Amino acid sequence: MKLRSLLLSLVMILTSTGFSQEEKKVTDDYSRSAVTVKMLDYKTGKHREKLEEVFVNLTVPGKFDNNNLPDKVVETPLAEGAPRKERINAIINQLEAEKAANDIIAKWFNRQEDGRMNMELIHKRGLYNAVDADVKKAEASKRGKAMLMDMGMKLLGKSYIIVVDYAKIRNHKELDIDDRHGWRTPLDVFLFRVKYSSDVQAKLFDEMWIYSDDDPETAKAKKEKFDNHTFQVEYVMTTSNPTPVQRMQYNSDTQLGKLLPQKSDEELFKELVAKGYQRAFFLLEKDHEDFRVKMPLYEDRPLKAKIGKKEGLKVDQRYFVYEYEYNAKTDKAEPNRKGVVRAKNVVDNRQVATGETPTSRFYQISGGRLRKGMLLQQKSDWGIGIQGRFGIGNMGGGGVKASLNTARYIGIPQLKIYGYLAVDAKSYEVSDEYLTGSFNPVEYDFSFMRFGGGLAKGYYFARMFSLEPFVGIAYESAAHSDLKYADHTLYSENITDLDDDIDFNVLMFDAGVDFGINVTYWMKLIAGVEYHMVGDIMDSDGDSYTLGDSEGDPVNYADFFVDREGLTYNIGLHIEF
């Protein structure tokens, strides 16, 4: 009866600490969540069999304990496009009909065919979940390692079921897209939790747990009690991707399609399903407290924390840093944000804690002085930046610049790909050697549009200051509605109508650096300089203009538009989300 007494004691301990955590903006409690991942299937819909074939082979990220069951599909009688409430109810009905919660609890307790259960997996997960602070506390306890093993019991309250809904998968033909091929789908993610409270656990241990001193008749009755009982699940939340998830590629007969190896529709479909699966976890990390990692700051010079691959940490993943301060009005210690940091490097800590777990490095992007012991909480962002900017110089004008931080994929902090669009209007004196019927330079008003892209690498220093050098290429087009091709002496084999408006184009090389000051963690002021090195004027088909006839010399862009090259000074406002 010792085992019975021990289990009932655990019930009382866990009742006092509570199984379900109240949803708060910030908590200092973090334990690994266990997840069961399924996909939502409909009675009617396209590409469902193909989806299931790919989905069932996807694996749970190492950040979570894997509670996956053999059946990874939630079948419903619904048709595609059913209202969200109907989908939620249908999922709950199906999960309880197939007794998914029973299977999950049985997995936790390593339940055998004869109905007997044990603590083997719970102890194993308790050890793996423990951090160095738990190890040191256990070492000071008489129970030692057994204390860490029993910590696995609190993990049962974080048994989640994730249902991923690729709501309406369609290919390029079904979407009437001609220049690309591939797939697109809206993505909804439904989160449920196994209802496992102290009362449920007491019922399990008292009425369904087969003890070593139970006679065969009692053991049989307890097994049947478990088999006939339906443990319940509860709805937690729904999150959705803001835009449809897609994996598409420009066709081989397009300009962009010629630059990249072509993938088949089957390859793109697999990538779409995997992308949606990964996005589901990302959305849940953003929107649900239990999916966010929390850990104390271990060192403050430099910034280090005992977080790594075990917790799913990625380079440049964002964390808020809090300090608990006493609030006289509420008579409670409440968390106040003191700064924001990002991961600089990630250690491999996928092992049972020993008290000497390695640390990952972080760098600060906002806030004041951070101190050892402050709480880090994961606050992942999309890695997208949008910048409004205005340029002053030979190539000025206003524009917008968008960037994507690739660090989470490549592992290099602040390595970004960017694209930009700029517009400008400026008057230029066109030399008489480029004009017909004129002997003096004539000034014309031109409108310019420039777009380009490239790579940038950011460096943060002194908490909130950054430097971001970049290199790239750009394409600029100049137009004038009153100046016709017949009015100038330039020649190109693609000009067929001399009455067309002028349209001059050029490829250029860009290089520069932006200096930033963070107003807050998501917004900074920008001042920068960039250099433009231009080539020869081209027509809209990419062929160079020559002077006079086809035997003449190509005309440099900066000769026609005198000095339209060189330095541009930029100011702007940059927002990250």
Side-chain angles (χ1 to χ4, degrees):
M1 299 296 290
K2 291 183 178 180
L3 179 58
R4 186 198 301 263
S5 300
L6 174 60
L7 293 174
L8 292 176
S9 298
L10 283 171
V11 171
M12 299 303 296
I13 294 172
L14 293 171
T15 302
S16 64
T17 58
F19 281 89
S20 60
Q21 297 294 323
E22 181 183 356
E23 189 71 7
K24 299 177 181 179
K25 291 184 178 180
V26 182
T27 69
D28 58 1
D29 175 62
Y30 172 71
S31 296
R32 291 167 64 85
S33 294
V35 297
T36 305
V37 190
K38 292 172 173 281
M39 58 161 273
L40 184 62
D41 200 10
Y42 295 98
K43 183 178 181 180
T44 61
K46 297 182 178 181
H47 314 295
R48 310 312 294 184
E49 291 184 5
K50 182 196 296 281
L51 170 61
E52 182 179 344
E53 289 176 3
V54 179
F55 186 88
V56 295
N57 293 314
L58 299 176
T59 58
V60 171
K63 175 182 176 180
F64 305 95
D65 287 328
N66 185 347
N67 271 354
N68 265 353
L69 303 174
D71 187 358
K72 294 185 178 181
V73 179
V74 178
E75 297 182 356
T76 70
L78 304 176
E80 282 185 344
R84 177 177 293 182
K85 187 174 182 180
E86 289 186 17
R87 285 181 282 167
I88 293 170
N89 291 334
I91 293 170
I92 292 177
N93 291 337
Q94 180 60 27
L95 291 176
E96 294 191 349
E98 64 189 36
K99 295 193 173 184
N102 290 50
D103 293 337
I104 291 170
I105 291 173
K107 184 164 187 172
W108 271 106
F109 289 106
N110 198 24
R111 190 169 186 259
Q112 306 300 307
E113 290 186 7
D114 63 0
R116 296 183 182 273
M117 295 178 274
N118 60 60
M119 307 287 286
E120 181 180 335
L121 181 61
I122 288 178
H123 286 166
K124 181 179 178 180
R125 289 182 173 178
L127 284 173
Y128 193 68
N129 178 71
V131 297
D132 283 355
D134 299 324
V135 173
K136 294 183 183 299
K137 184 177 179 180
E139 289 175 346
S141 169
K142 291 182 179 179
R143 298 186 63 232
K145 187 177 180 180
M147 175 181 173
L148 298 179
M149 297 168 70
D150 291 341
M151 287 178 64
M153 290 297 296
K154 72 176 183 178
L155 302 180
L156 278 99
K158 294 186 176 183
S159 297
Y160 290 97
I161 302 173
I162 301 169
V163 180
V164 185
D165 182 10
Y166 300 82
K168 193 176 182 182
I169 292 183
R170 296 293 184 267
N171 60 34
H172 59 282
K173 294 179 181 178
E174 294 161 336
L175 295 168
D176 292 326
I177 296 176
D178 297 326
D179 59 343
R180 288 166 292 163
H181 64 106
W183 305 83
R184 180 184 296 167
T185 180
L187 185 76
D188 293 326
V189 186
F190 300 95
L191 185 64
F192 302 85
R193 179 168 41 210
V194 175
K195 283 187 177 181
Y196 192 83
S197 64
S198 56
D199 291 337
V200 172
Q201 182 163 278
K203 184 179 183 69
L204 175 70
F205 287 155
D206 190 48
E207 301 178 17
M208 306 176 196
W209 192 281
I210 301 173
Y211 297 93
S212 57
D213 57 351
D214 285 337
D215 57 56
E217 185 177 340
T218 301
K220 180 182 179 182
K222 288 184 174 181
K223 178 182 182 302
E224 291 176 351
K225 183 81 171 181
F226 185 98
D227 293 338
N228 295 328
H229 183 75
T230 300
F231 292 92
Q232 295 181 318
V233 298
E234 59 183 339
Y235 170 71
V236 179
M237 63 172 293
T238 301
T239 184
S240 302
N241 206 55
T243 59
V245 177
Q246 66 177 7
R247 278 300 293 126
M248 287 198 173
Q249 187 177 49
Y250 281 94
N251 296 331
S252 58
D253 57 355
T254 63
Q255 291 293 330
L256 290 175
K258 295 175 182 177
L259 301 177
L260 298 173
Q262 288 291 306
K263 295 183 178 180
S264 68
D265 285 350
E266 293 299 316
E267 291 174 309
L268 293 174
F269 185 86
K270 291 179 180 179
E271 291 179 5
L272 175 85
V273 178
K275 183 177 181 180
Y277 188 83
Q278 295 165 0
R279 184 62 53 82
F281 283 97
F282 174 79
L283 293 170
L284 291 172
E285 288 173 345
K286 284 179 61 63
D287 296 340
H288 189 61
E289 184 73 19
D290 279 355
F291 284 57
R292 300 175 192 149
V293 177
K294 284 147 282 192
M295 204 71 68
L297 188 62
Y298 184 70
E299 291 184 20
D300 51 25
R301 291 189 178 181
L303 299 173
K304 293 183 178 181
K306 294 190 174 185
I307 309 172
K309 291 185 177 181
K310 182 177 180 179
E311 293 77 25
L313 183 66
K314 293 180 174 60
V315 171
D316 265 355
Q317 195 171 67
R318 190 179 67 186
Y319 278 73
F320 286 3
V321 185
Y322 296 93
E323 183 176 37
Y324 279 81
E325 297 176 344
Y326 177 71
N327 186 329
K329 293 183 179 180
T330 62
D331 193 30
K332 294 180 181 179
E334 298 179 351
N336 289 318
R337 193 178 73 230
K338 296 298 183 180
V340 180
V341 300
R342 291 187 182 276
K344 187 174 184 178
N345 70 344
V346 179
V347 298
D348 190 347
N349 61 342
R350 291 172 294 186
Q351 59 189 27
V352 173
T354 62
E356 301 296 332
T357 300
T359 56
S360 295
R361 285 277 302 273
F362 292 78
Y363 64 93
Q364 189 170 356
I365 63 172
S366 179
R369 176 82 166 85
L370 304 181
R371 295 190 300 274
K372 178 180 178 180
M374 289 183 175
L375 178 69
L376 275 70
Q377 185 187 52
Q378 178 185 351
K379 292 284 187 176
S380 298
D381 61 348
W382 293 91
I384 296 173
I386 301 293
Q387 183 182 131
R389 53 200 283 134
F390 182 78
I392 303 169
N394 292 335
M395 281 192 174
V400 61
K401 183 177 182 179
S403 61
L404 174 67
N405 191 339
T406 67
R408 70 186 70 183
Y409 312 109
I410 298 176
I412 301 175
Q414 293 291 319
L415 182 63
K416 302 175 182 178
I417 55 175
Y418 72 86
Y420 75 91
L421 173 69
V423 293
D424 187 18
K426 199 169 183 179
S427 297
Y428 281 91
E429 287 188 351
V430 180
S431 171
D432 60 354
E433 69 176 313
Y434 302 124
L435 296 174
T436 60
S438 177
F439 299 96
N440 296 310
V442 179
E443 188 171 272
Y444 292 94
D445 295 328
F446 287 89
S447 59
F448 299 89
M449 184 175 70
R450 182 170 68 256
F451 62 91
L455 290 175
K457 176 69 173 74
Y459 301 91
Y460 270 88
F461 58 95
R463 300 179 190 170
M464 63 182 66
F465 300 100
S466 65
L467 284 175
E468 190 172 285
F470 58 88
V471 294
I473 58 174
Y475 182 89
E476 183 172 83
S477 180
H480 191 290
S481 59
D482 296 327
L483 194 62
K484 311 295 183 181
Y485 284 117
D487 297 325
H488 66 70
T489 60
L490 300 182
Y491 171 85
S492 174
E493 60 183 16
N494 292 311
I495 297 178
T496 58
D497 190 345
L498 296 181
D499 289 328
D500 284 348
D501 296 337
I502 274 186
D503 183 16
F504 293 141
N505 309 278
V506 69
L507 278 173
M508 66 184 73
F509 170 78
D510 293 335
V513 61
D514 283 341
F515 173 73
I517 303 175
N518 276 25
V519 178
T520 183
Y521 67 92
W522 55 269
M523 179 173 65
K524 61 183 173 182
L525 301 174
I526 295 293
V529 60
E530 59 184 312
Y531 183 83
H532 309 280
M533 186 170 65
V534 302
D536 295 333
I537 295 181
M538 302 182 299
D539 61 25
S540 57
D541 293 312
D543 292 318
S544 295
Y545 284 108
T546 57
L547 188 60
D549 56 32
S550 61
E551 301 300 324
D553 297 324
V555 179
N556 186 269
Y557 192 75
D559 290 337
F560 190 91
F561 300 106
V562 179
D563 293 332
R564 190 168 178 80
E565 62 178 348
L567 293 177
T568 297
Y569 301 93
N570 297 302
I571 56 173
L573 184 68
H574 182 87
I575 295 175
E576 293 183 345
F577 56 93

